[in-house]
Amino acid sequence: MTAAGTDLTGLIGGWVNFDTAAAGIRLVDAAEDGGRLALSVAEDRPGGPRTRSALFATPLMDAGGEGPAVGFLAEGRLGPGDAVLCGYLNRGLLTIDVHTVTPGAPDVPPVMYRAHYYRPAPAQPAEPPEGAPSP
Amino acid sequence: MTIHSAAEAVPPAKPLAAHGPDVSALLGDWLNSDGGAMSKGPVRLTVARSETGVVVRATGWGEVPAVVYTAPGAPSTAWSFSAVFAHDGLRTLVSAYHKTGILVATTSTVPLGDGEGPGVWTRSFFHRVHRVHRVHRVHRAEDGS
């Protein structure tokens, strides 16, 4: 599950859910960690506190195996459930198909939802005060 | 004169567990809309009921059990499934959802074993196989003959 040699530029960064009202994954921070793609996932659940989970993901390339990573597959624990995250880039946005299964809770059906994320533009440095020396 | 019936592609209903969601929207034979021309994703998927739930068959990859998913807040109807195939030294997770009569499927294929290297991603659209029936057969059925 290494990302060595794979261009992860398109995936790396902080991703924010467009839908500010929906429960589910709010934020995803994607980073390269020791040659792997590491995800830190912040999730809101109805009536519960925000949880953070760490997952490693396998970067995925377009069919043909050339070019940068265009998506990822992550499988692991997400809050109280087991999750499969299928993420892919689409015109600079990240779409994640989130599949969750809650073991030991037969009355809770497996759930899949799709969520869309954007990367906020990096903060611009403030204009220096008038008269301040230029760096 | 012929009629086209998508409903005929759906296998006869069998009772699922009392608390299980309705999976009928997912069932049937599904053809990749690119017909294999782009070599992206499986050419055909067959989703069927089994004694234990739902199975998915992909041409060339065999048949495996699937996990079906409901949408948030709609626990009575399944709209999505995932299934994992092992083939040719690879592991492919097919994740699909049903929307307005089509099946949208992504595949995530990663090497089996050492886990080295990136995987491959595809996204494909599938339509149901439409079976053609002659009208006189429908009339005969209505007559009880």
Side-chain angles (χ1 to χ4, degrees):
Chain A
M1 198 156 44
T2 67
T6 305
D7 179 3
L8 302 177
T9 307
L11 295 173
I12 297 298
W15 296 92
V16 180
N17 194 334
F18 275 103
D19 189 344
T20 57
I25 296 177
R26 308 285 334 141
L27 306 165
V28 178
D29 291 316
E32 188 167 356
D33 180 1
R36 298 198 289 179
L37 179 61
L39 305 181
S40 175
V41 178
E43 187 183 26
D44 290 341
R45 289 178 178 266
R50 175 170 292 184
T51 61
R52 272 213 175 258
S53 304
L55 297 170
F56 281 110
T58 302
L60 304 173
M61 304 161 76
D62 257 329
E66 300 292 335
V70 296
F72 62 78
L73 173 66
E75 299 169 272
R77 197 77 177 175
L78 193 65
D82 294 330
V84 178
L85 308 184
C86 301
Y88 65 93
L89 297 172
N90 187 5
R91 301 181 186 181
L93 304 179
L94 177 67
T95 296
I96 305 179
D97 292 347
V98 182
H99 309 72
T100 60
V101 176
T102 306
D107 294 335
V108 179
V111 169
M112 195 285 267
Y113 66 89
R114 313 189 75 226
H116 307 281
Y117 301 82
Y118 66 95
R119 262 189 308 206
Q124 298 295 316
E127 289 290 327
E130 194 173 342
S134 300
Chain B
M1 183 176 175
T2 59
I3 59 172
H4 298 266
S5 171
E8 290 292 333
V10 179
K14 293 180 182 176
L16 288 174
H19 55 278
D22 177 7
V23 299
S24 58
L26 303 172
L27 301 178
D29 291 323
W30 298 90
L31 280 180
N32 192 321
S33 61
D34 74 9
M38 302 294 289
S39 299
K40 286 187 173 181
V43 174
R44 184 181 187 124
L45 293 172
T46 301
V47 185
R49 297 176 195 270
S50 73
E51 290 184 358
T52 55
V54 169
V55 293
V56 178
R57 188 179 312 121
T59 304
W61 295 349
E63 180 178 294
V64 296
V67 179
V68 298
Y69 303 91
T70 64
S76 61
T77 304
W79 79 300
S80 167
F81 70 81
S82 68
V84 178
F85 296 87
H87 61 98
D88 306 319
L90 302 168
R91 176 176 181 265
T92 294
L93 185 144
V94 177
S95 162
Y97 63 91
H98 177 264
K99 184 177 182 181
T100 59
I102 63 171
L103 195 68
V104 184
T106 61
T107 65
S108 304
T109 300
V110 299
L112 275 172
D114 58 15
E116 290 292 326
V120 171
W121 178 87
T122 70
R123 187 166 191 241
S124 304
F125 300 86
F126 292 77
H127 60 84
R128 271 209 177 89
V129 176
H130 287 242
R131 295 177 183 170
V132 178
H133 303 274
R134 295 193 182 281
V135 166
H136 69 81
R137 292 186 60 190
V138 175
H139 290 165
R140 289 181 60 185
E142 289 174 347
D143 293 340
S145 55

